[in-house]
Amino acid sequence: MIQYETVFILTPVLSDDQMKETVAKFKKLLTDNGAEILNEEAWGLKKLAYTIQKKTSGFYCLFEFKAEPTVIDRLETGYRRDEKVIRYMTVKLDKYAVQYAEKRRGKYAKKEEA
């Protein structure tokens, strides 16, 4: 299995419940297809660098997971079909990115505890 990281931006007009529901849908899509989720981060509502579909902000979410390459096609098809997703990006992590992600995970966990 290969380690991946995906970030997606949801439209800002969603309620908190709708946003959590959409994130859970994509998490379920990954786990149903045999992916192992290593980390999940919700970065919250952030301002976009440029307008996308006449929107200036969006809910950012990150998943770090291990999966077979075929799962990525299903995940990105799900992103394209969902009108709540305004942008997404999935990248394959090399060994240096994996090390960096582990360090970042540790910092993020300490930040949440405080």
Side-chain angles (χ1 to χ4, degrees), residues 4 9 17-18 29 32 48 52-53 59-60 68 71 73 77 79 87 89 96 107:
Y4 294 95
I9 307 170
D17 291 336
Q18 290 173 318
L29 189 145
D32 287 352
L48 302 174
I52 302 172
Q53 299 173 2
F59 289 105
Y60 281 70
E68 297 299 325
V71 175
D73 290 335
T77 299
Y79 286 152
R87 278 287 189 279
M89 187 165 94
Y96 303 109
K107 287 181 184 176

Side-chain angles (χ1 to χ4, degrees), residues 18-30:
Q18 290 173 318
M19 191 259 309
K20 288 179 181 175
E21 184 180 298
T22 305
V23 171
K25 180 179 94 170
F26 289 118
K27 188 174 184 178
K28 184 178 182 326
L29 189 145
L30 284 170

Side-chain angles (χ1 to χ4, degrees), residues 2-78:
I2 301 169
Q3 192 161 335
Y4 294 95
E5 188 174 84
T6 186
V7 176
F8 55 98
I9 307 170
L10 300 174
T11 182
V13 296
L14 300 176
S15 71
D16 198 38
D17 291 336
Q18 290 173 318
M19 191 259 309
K20 288 179 181 175
E21 184 180 298
T22 305
V23 171
K25 180 179 94 170
F26 289 118
K27 188 174 184 178
K28 184 178 182 326
L29 189 145
L30 284 170
T31 54
D32 287 352
N33 287 297
E36 174 192 345
I37 295 185
L38 304 173
N39 187 28
E40 175 186 350
E41 296 176 15
W43 295 341
L45 189 65
K46 295 205 176 263
K47 189 173 186 292
L48 302 174
Y50 54 90
T51 57
I52 302 172
Q53 299 173 2
K54 298 182 182 178
K55 294 174 178 61
T56 57
S57 61
F59 289 105
Y60 281 70
C61 299
L62 172 130
F63 287 141
E64 194 179 321
F65 59 96
K66 286 185 179 181
E68 297 299 325
T70 56
V71 175
I72 303 305
D73 290 335
R74 292 187 194 118
L75 177 65
E76 291 189 347
T77 299

